[in-house]
Amino acid sequence: MSKANTRSMLPEGSLKQKNIIVTGGGSGLGKSMSQYFLHLGANVVITSRNHEKLETAAQELNKQEKDGKCIAISCDVRNYDDVVKMYENAKQQLGSIDILMNNAAGNFISPTERLSSNAFDTIIDIVLKGSKNCTLAVGKDWIKEQEKDKSILNIVTTYASTGSGYVVPSASAKAGVLAMTRSLAVEWAKYGIRQNAIAPGPFPTKGAWDRLLPGELKEKFDLARKVPLKRVGEHQELANLAAYLVSDFSGYINGEVITIDGGEWLKGAGQFNMLEEIPQEMWDMLEEMIKSKK
Ligand code: HXC
Ligand code: NAP
């Protein structure tokens, strides 16, 4: 099993004077990435629906990280007016916003034919419409104010590219977010706005595991076993990548989606990767069998 390096990758102060909005920043990966942004000197607005959860998270983060300030502003990303209000409030408190990270998501496993129309819409609304709402509200203002050196980072999934059964609303919505990332990377580059995405593999969080691996499924489908590196991701590994992609160090990276999954999706894709299961000692016999057929 490979060993994770969970040290801080960027120099102290790398995000100083950057003001960042992180949707879904009060829990899971959003919270971990927010913590690292604060550690690097950024001010971070964490936003989601549950205000109490956000306030608790902001208090915790402000206690742990002294270099930047964390502010909790609640908002439902499905509602454009709510998003605009959250953005105006964030600007009022911080002056301006430099970076938007679309991280909020909704998801659960289900055979697609069991889904109500509203269930499908709920996921599309949080993931695709929510990312669109935040991108449009923030992007329009940046363009109007002629502000430069702005950046949007979208958190997608590896199945945004491959598709996946049993999470079809999420796969459809994340594919839309990826298309938006690549499209606006070109269209809005002239305004000094970069767009990139990260496609994480399995990074354990309560939000994802409760909905994707409920009950015994956690043991039955140990996700680490699907990964060639034989382990799940550490939050700091993702935070290091996210911090790099929103920082000025990645100023020439635009329209990219970076996969961080230990090789998981490629293992599923490669036609003969199942040969992993063949024990080393069988290969002499197999080689002989193949050669004998000449
Ligand atoms: C079928 C379901 C369902 C389920 C909800 N619904 N759960 N249908 N199977 N398990 C249906 C409901 O019956 C309802 O339809 C509709 O979906 C909306 O449900 P609500 O509970 O009213 O919605 P809401 O309160 O808005 O909550 C949204 C949610 C919830 C998505 C259902 O789970 C949530 O708040 N999630 C946020 C956090 C999250 O999902 N995190 C995981 C991200 S992981 P009807 O027709 O009855 O009205 C991820 C990728 C991970 O994104 C990849 C890992 C490798
Ligand atoms: P999580 O903790 O459940 O995060 C989802 C966040 O979205 C929550 O903070 C939730 O907060 C917020 N949210 C949901 N609906 C919202 C809405 N309508 N408006 C505003 N905020 C909303 O799960 P996570 O694992 O950290 O996921 C974070 C991101 O990583 C997601 O984009 C997910 O798709 C992606 N991802 C995760 C994994 C993984 O292995 N964990 C793998 C690939 C991709 P509220 O409930 O307070 O609104």
Side-chain angles (χ1 to χ4, degrees):
M1 185 170 48
S2 77
K3 203 165 166 294
N5 185 337
T6 55
R7 281 183 298 140
S8 165
M9 184 179 84
L10 293 183
E12 301 283 310
S14 290
L15 294 178
K16 208 156 188 64
Q17 284 163 359
K18 299 283 187 196
N19 298 327
I20 307 178
I21 293 176
V22 177
T23 70
S27 67
L29 301 181
K31 187 175 167 199
S32 298
M33 291 186 276
S34 295
Q35 176 169 5
Y36 190 45
F37 297 163
L38 289 160
H39 181 79
L40 294 172
N43 297 311
V44 181
V45 171
I46 54 174
T47 185
S48 77
R49 296 163 299 178
N50 183 334
H51 191 69
E52 210 182 310
K53 182 175 95 178
L54 284 177
E55 280 292 357
T56 308
Q59 272 176 22
E60 194 187 311
L61 292 174
N62 279 322
K63 215 186 269 176
Q64 281 161 351
E65 302 297 341
K66 302 287 178 210
D67 288 339
K69 174 168 67 172
C70 183
I71 299 168
I73 305 177
S74 51
C75 139
D76 187 331
V77 294
R78 291 174 283 195
N79 182 318
Y80 188 73
D81 291 344
D82 218 17
V83 168
V84 171
K85 268 191 220 139
M86 175 276 293
Y87 177 60
E88 290 302 331
N89 186 345
K91 274 205 331 178
Q92 226 163 31
Q93 297 197 52
L94 293 175
S96 64
I97 298 299
D98 304 289
I99 293 154
L100 165 67
M101 186 163 82
N102 286 310
N103 164 80
N107 200 1
F108 49 77
I109 48 166
S110 177
T112 308
E113 67 277 14
R114 285 174 59 98
L115 295 174
S116 68
S117 174
N118 184 46
F120 208 122
D121 283 352
T122 299
I123 304 304
I124 298 277
D125 285 353
I126 301 171
V127 176
L128 180 54
K129 198 169 151 193
S131 302
K132 175 276 290 181
N133 283 342
C134 295
T135 299
L136 202 59
V138 174
K140 271 171 178 277
D141 188 57
W142 283 343
I143 292 165
K144 188 174 108 226
E145 300 294 334
Q146 300 190 337
E147 298 184 24
K148 300 273 182 217
D149 294 328
K150 305 291 177 182
S151 163
I152 297 179
L153 179 61
N154 295 320
I155 304 300
V156 295
T157 53
T158 52
Y159 58 64
S161 304
T162 63
S164 174
Y166 302 95
V167 284
V168 170
S170 172
S172 311
K174 294 284 192 183
V177 175
L178 183 53
M180 190 168 70
T181 309
R182 289 173 168 150
S183 307
L184 286 178
V186 175
E187 191 183 329
W188 283 1
K190 59 180 173 289
Y191 301 121
I193 304 171
R194 290 189 300 126
Q195 311 256 344
N196 290 296
I198 296 179
F203 283 79
T205 64
K206 183 167 169 26
W209 262 228
D210 282 356
R211 293 172 176 88
L212 301 170
L213 294 167
E216 289 173 2
L217 293 195
K218 278 180 199 67
E219 286 78 48
K220 194 168 162 58
F221 300 115
D222 174 8
L223 291 190
R225 286 195 355 235
K226 283 181 68 211
V227 180
L229 291 175
K230 296 283 177 249
R231 67 172 175 87
V232 291
E234 293 283 343
H235 287 204
Q236 184 62 40
E237 296 182 289
L238 178 67
N240 279 336
L241 176 60
Y244 167 67
L245 284 176
V246 299
S247 77
D248 299 336
F249 290 110
S250 66
Y252 202 50
I253 299 184
N254 186 28
E256 197 54 64
V257 55
I258 300 190
T259 298
I260 174 165
D261 74 341
E264 184 199 34
W265 87 264
L266 278 171
K267 182 176 178 186
Q271 200 157 29
F272 285 93
N273 287 342
M274 77 285 190
L275 298 184
E276 265 307 292
E277 284 168 28
I278 293 189
Q280 284 301 321
E281 55 275 16
M282 259 181 86
W283 279 109
D284 284 345
M285 182 189 75
L286 290 170
E287 184 178 337
E288 250 176 63
M289 279 167 70
I290 295 164
K291 284 179 173 169
S292 71
K293 300 285 179 204
K294 255 204 243 169

